[in-house]
């Protein structure tokens, strides 16, 4: 083979190799794009990802009644969460909750789309675990550490020192639902040093709390979570005369439902609200 | 004396005339019969007098326009029995007859109870007073209905075919009963189809034909063959046996003269 | 059947006794540990004391509401059966209750009643009136029992569907599930303030219906003879229609649709009052109150986590009863 011929082969080979490896190099530098189809994972993504990483979020995050982030979603497409919408957008990874529709998740996986399910939070400590899971998947560990640091400062501020006297707190939602042991809300009030009314009643999880029992047990603090002011029989308890007469304004603390619906960094706001509210009432 | 004066009474249902300028008087203390072919307007006339349907023309009660009489006072003076028989609920005979006292609102008072028992007794229902009306025979039910209407102690009775469908015994029973009440001062204006019973028990008779009065007056002259032919399209004969009058109708009608031979 | 009036007085006393007993029982039942003896020993306690609150603001309204709703339904059932001469008539079956619920749902979920609580019973009454008027035009004046029931089924189904639609339009996501309340009814968790608004309307309805006792008796003889006894039929009809609409409409606006009470009670009590429509009215009022109070007690004694709705109990009793009635009256009614 002549010298010039070898050079030509060499140049063509190198060029060929470069072209073949081009896409691989491109993959390395192109930013990954993510979709979330659950209100709670929406919030995690908003807190941890950068704007270009978010391809779409679920429509619930735009509803100011369910979401504390509704103002931050300007410019982000909001979807219903159907397989069709997701296919069209072609994400690299979809975040869902372990309670999201299993049919949707199965179909997405069969079509080759990666889905990461994040467990719903039953305890404060699980929030940090979830933050780590999401942060690792999207490659934002630095930001995650910042968020976790802020959380820890807040926790230090509100952790109650005396464990002897534990005032009784009760939570109440529409339809007389209350939160017992094994729920996020319970772990928040337990952290703040309260005894949950549900412990007196020996119930766990979300349970139905009759108005009579609530009045009879007279908790020191009643946390009222109003979903929405639109009329519904579920809200009847909030305007029942017996409730108003039994608990004065110093006993009732209103918590917007959207704050602690999900286990996300925003939930710590609830902790703050309750902590501050209780301190004020002690003065 | 004249109890009821009907003046130019007309009734229209939709655009079809049922009664046309009917005029007559009812005298107190008499049994007046109302007869006519089916559809001639008999029931309609009775209903108009009972103020159950709208009409044009005038009705005078003892000389005053009847419209001036409030419905409660009217209910206490004029009793009405319609054609439908079976009551909607199975009341006891006593409770059923007691309904006649409704306009007086004294069903539970002593005065009302006395009148109630009297009516039951007069209609020979004493043994049946605790039976349910649905358990009565036709004749017994007819007596009960009469008892109900006389329990109101009316001055005038309007009866629409009170004896239709009854066997001869019970028919006579009712007619005798009515005759007795009339002798005590009641006035009865009743619709019937039986020519012989009409001949025997009514004092006066009105024959209706196609919504107009064909003839009106004391019974016997009204029941002549010309009138009956005109009203019912039948031949007839008025007979009297042992002082009891009866009418024999024959069919078909050919002419009023002797039938043609051949 | 010797002395009918004696039977009647005895029946009324027994029924009154039952109502009183159930009322007291209702006051004694509840998820908290308080019993009626705690109530008796209240004495000089303050108005905001827990025991006082539980009895006066939670249990008392519930018992009063149960009694009042039961009276309205029993009375309306007896009146409707007497007027229509139809053993199958009752406010639930002929669609009056469901229509009342529909109008109330529209007023409540649209937020219109937020400022004017009086709008709720008004809406219920308007809905009930519409149903009766539509029923009359559908079934005609001398309709058979079957026609009336069929027309009622049509009205009921249509209103029920519209309720579901209206609830879906609501801004509050819980609303869709509340159809269970509106179609099955409940007297639980109402405050004295709400009961106090609906009660006067119900009382007006009771007065109108009880007052129609004599005309109903007269109607036993049929419309013509009843008129000859001095009763203006158009007036009687208006009184009955309005009375039923007001009593049932206001009751439904606060407690939802509770069916079959107006069917079962008059039927059970009719033999005890000698089949007399007028006496049946007051007997059915008390009987209805007793039945609803008893059902409300049963609902609290059943071991379910979520309290069963009242209408379930009344339907469990009433629907088989309804079928039996149809079979029994098959020939005469249908």
């Amino acid at each position: 083979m002549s010298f010039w011929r070898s050079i030509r082969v060499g140049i063509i080979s190198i060029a060929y190799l470069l072209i073949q490896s081009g896409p691989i190099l491109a993959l390395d530098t192109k930013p990954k794009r993510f979709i979330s189809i659950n209100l709670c994972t929406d919030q995690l993504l908003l807190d941890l990802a950068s704007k270009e990483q978010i391809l779409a979020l679920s429509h619930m995050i735009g509803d100011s009644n369910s979401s504390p982030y509704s103002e931050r979603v300007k410019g982000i497409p909001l979807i219903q969460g159907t397989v069709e919408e997701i296919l069209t957008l072609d994400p690299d990874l979809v975040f869902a909750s372990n309670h999201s529709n299993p049919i949707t998740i199965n179909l997405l996986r069969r079509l080759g789309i990666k889905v990461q399910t994040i467990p719903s939070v039953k305890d404060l400590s699980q929030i940090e675990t979830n933050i780590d899971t999401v942060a690792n998947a999207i490659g934002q560990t630095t930001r995650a550490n910042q968020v976790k640091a802020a959380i820890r400062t807040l926790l230090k501020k509100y952790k109650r020192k005396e464990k002897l006297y534990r005032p009784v707190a009760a939570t109440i939602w529409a339809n007389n639902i209350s939160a017992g042991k094994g729920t996020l809300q319970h772990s928040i009030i337990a952290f703040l040093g309260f005894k949950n009314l549900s412990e007196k009643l020996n119930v766990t999880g979300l349970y139905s709390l009759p108005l009579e029992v609530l009045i009879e047990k007279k908790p020191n603090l009643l946390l009222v979570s109003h979903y929405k002011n639109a009329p519904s029989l579920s809200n009847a308890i909030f305007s029942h005369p017996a409730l108003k007469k039994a608990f004065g304004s110093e006993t009732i603390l209103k918590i917007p439902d959207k704050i602690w619906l999900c286990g996300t960094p925003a939930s710590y706001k609830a902790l703050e609200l309750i902590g501050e509210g209780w301190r004020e009432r002690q003065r | 004396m004249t109890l009821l004066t009907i003046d130019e009474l007309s009734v229209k249902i939709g655009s079809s005339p049922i009664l046309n300028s009917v005029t007559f008087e009812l005298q107190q203390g008499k049994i007046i019969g109302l007869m006519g072919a089916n559809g001639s307007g008999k029931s309609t006339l009775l209903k108009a007098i009972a103020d159950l349907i709208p009409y044009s023309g005038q009705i005078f009660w003892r000389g005053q326009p009847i419209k001036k009489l409030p419905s409660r006072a009217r209910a206490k003076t004029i009793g009405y029995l319609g054609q439908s028989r079976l009551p909607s609920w199975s009341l006891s005979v006593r409770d059923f007859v007691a309904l006649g006292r409704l306009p007086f609102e004294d069903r539970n008072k002593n005065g009302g109870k006395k009148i109630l028992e009297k009516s039951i007794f007069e209609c020979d229902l004493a043994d049946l007073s605790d039976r349910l009306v649905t358990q009565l025979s036709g004749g017994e039910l007819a007596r009960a209905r009469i008892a109900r209407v006389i329990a109101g102690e009316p001055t005038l009775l309007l009866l629409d075919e009170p004896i239709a469908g009854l066997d001869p015994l019970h028919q006579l029973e009712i007619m005798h009963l009515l005759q007795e009440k009339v002798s005590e001062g009641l006035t009865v204006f009743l619709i019937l189809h039986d020519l012989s019973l009409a001949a025997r028990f009514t004092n006066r008779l009105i024959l209706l034909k196609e919504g107009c009065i064909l003839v009106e007056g004391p019974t016997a002259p009204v029941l002549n063959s010309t009138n009956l032919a005109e009203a019912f399209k039948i031949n007839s004969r008025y007979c009297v046996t042992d002082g009891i009058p009866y009418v024999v109708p024959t069919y078909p009608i050919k002419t009023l003269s002797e039938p043609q031979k051949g | 059947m010797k002395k009918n009036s004696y039977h009647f007085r005895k029946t009324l006393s027994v029924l009154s006794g039952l109502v009183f007993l159930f009322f007291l029982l209702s006051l004694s039942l509840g998820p908290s540990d308080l019993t009626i003896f705690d109530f008796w020993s209240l004495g000089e306690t303050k108005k905001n004391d827990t025991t006082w609150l539980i009895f006066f603001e939670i249990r008392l309204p519930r018992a009063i509401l149960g009694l009042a709703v039961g009276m309205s339904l029993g009375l309306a059932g007896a009146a409707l059966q007497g007027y229509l001469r139809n053993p199958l008539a009752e406010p639930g079956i002929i669609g009056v209750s469901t229509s009342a619920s529909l109008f109330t749902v529209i007023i409540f979920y649209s937020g219109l009643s937020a400022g004017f609580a009086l709008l709720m019973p008004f809406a219920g009454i308007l809905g009930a009136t519409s149903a009766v008027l539509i029923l009359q035009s559908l079934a005609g004046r001398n309709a058979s029992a079957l026609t009336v029931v069929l027309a009622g089924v049509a009205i009921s189904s249509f209103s029920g569907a519209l309720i579901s639609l209206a609830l879906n339009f609501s801004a509050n996501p819980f609303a869709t599930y509340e159809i269970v309340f509106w179609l099955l009814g409940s007297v639980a968790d109402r405050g004295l303030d709400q009961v106090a608004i609906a009660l006067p309307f119900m009382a007006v309805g009771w007065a109108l219906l009880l007052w129609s006792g004599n005309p109903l008796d007269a109607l036993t003889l049929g419309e013509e003879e009843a008129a000859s006894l001095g009763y203006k039929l158009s007036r009687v009809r208006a009184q009955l229609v309005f009375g039923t609409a007001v009593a049932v409409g206001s009751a439904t606006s606060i407690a939802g649709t509770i069916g079959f009470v107006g069917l079962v009670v008059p039927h059970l009590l009719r033999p005890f009052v000698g089949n007399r429509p007028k006496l049946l009215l007051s007997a059915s009022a008390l009987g209805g109150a007793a039945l609803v109070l008893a059902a409300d007690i049963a609902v609290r004694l059943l071991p379910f986590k979520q309290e069963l709705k009242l209408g379930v109990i009344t339907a469990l009793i009433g629907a088989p009863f309804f079928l039996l009635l149809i079979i029994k009256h098959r020939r005469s009614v249908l």
Side-chain angles (χ1 to χ4, degrees), chain A residues 102-117:
Chain A
I103 299 177
T104 312
I105 297 180
N106 281 334
L107 185 54
L108 285 170
R109 288 186 172 145
R110 272 200 290 132
L111 293 172
I113 298 196
K114 294 209 198 93
V115 180
Q116 168 80 48
T117 52

Side-chain angles (χ1 to χ4, degrees), chain A residues 174-176 206 208 210-213 215-218 227-228 230-236 239-242 245-246, chain C residues 29-33 48 50 53-54 57-59 108-109 111 170-175 178 181-182 189-191 193 306:
Chain A
N175 279 324
N176 298 26
L206 290 174
S208 178
L211 182 56
E212 252 190 58
V213 176
I215 291 181
E216 194 197 4
K217 301 294 180 199
K218 271 208 168 308
Y227 170 79
K228 193 167 186 173
S232 159
L233 295 173
S234 58
N235 290 336
S239 54
H240 199 288
K245 289 190 183 155
Chain C
L29 280 177
S32 69
D33 297 321
N48 280 336
T50 312
L53 269 179
I54 291 184
E57 297 285 352
I58 302 182
R59 294 200 186 170
F108 176 65
Y109 289 92
S170 160
N172 194 315
F174 285 115
E178 284 164 11
F181 167 81
W182 292 106
D189 286 336
R190 296 300 203 173
D193 54 345
Q306 279 273 54

Side-chain angles (χ1 to χ4, degrees), chain A residues 169-187:
Chain A
T171 53
I172 191 98
W173 276 271
N175 279 324
N176 298 26
I177 302 290
S178 183
K181 204 169 179 189
T183 59
L184 169 65
Q185 296 82 9
H186 172 86
S187 79

Side-chain angles (χ1 to χ4, degrees), chain C residues 2 9-10 24-25 46 61-62 70 113 134 136 171 175 181 192 202-203 206 229 240 242 250 269 271 279 294 325 329:
Chain C
K2 267 290 167 178
R9 261 180 269 133
K10 217 164 52 156
L24 284 183
L25 260 178
K46 285 195 319 234
R62 181 167 186 160
S113 62
I134 293 178
Q136 281 196 320
F181 167 81
L192 263 183
M202 286 194 256
W206 301 338
L229 285 170
L240 282 165
F242 200 53
S250 49
L269 295 176
L279 301 181
L325 266 185
H329 288 262

Side-chain angles (χ1 to χ4, degrees), chain A residues 231-233, chain C residues 103-113 120 178 182:
Chain A
S232 159
L233 295 173
Chain C
F103 279 58
T104 315
V105 160
I106 293 175
I107 294 290
F108 176 65
Y109 289 92
S110 61
L112 285 172
S113 62
M120 292 270 282
E178 284 164 11
W182 292 106

Side-chain angles (χ1 to χ4, degrees), chain A residues 196-211:
Chain A
N196 191 342
L197 181 61
S198 64
E199 293 173 54
K200 281 196 185 180
L201 302 171
N202 252 318
V203 282
T204 56
L206 290 174
Y207 66 100
S208 178
L209 176 61
L211 182 56

Side-chain angles (χ1 to χ4, degrees), chain A residues 242-261:
Chain A
L243 191 81
K244 291 183 192 161
K245 289 190 183 155
F247 300 104
S249 56
E250 66 290 350
T251 326
I252 295 185
L253 182 56
K254 286 201 177 135
I255 310 281
D257 206 21
K258 61 189 177 188
I259 288 186
W260 57 352
L261 202 66

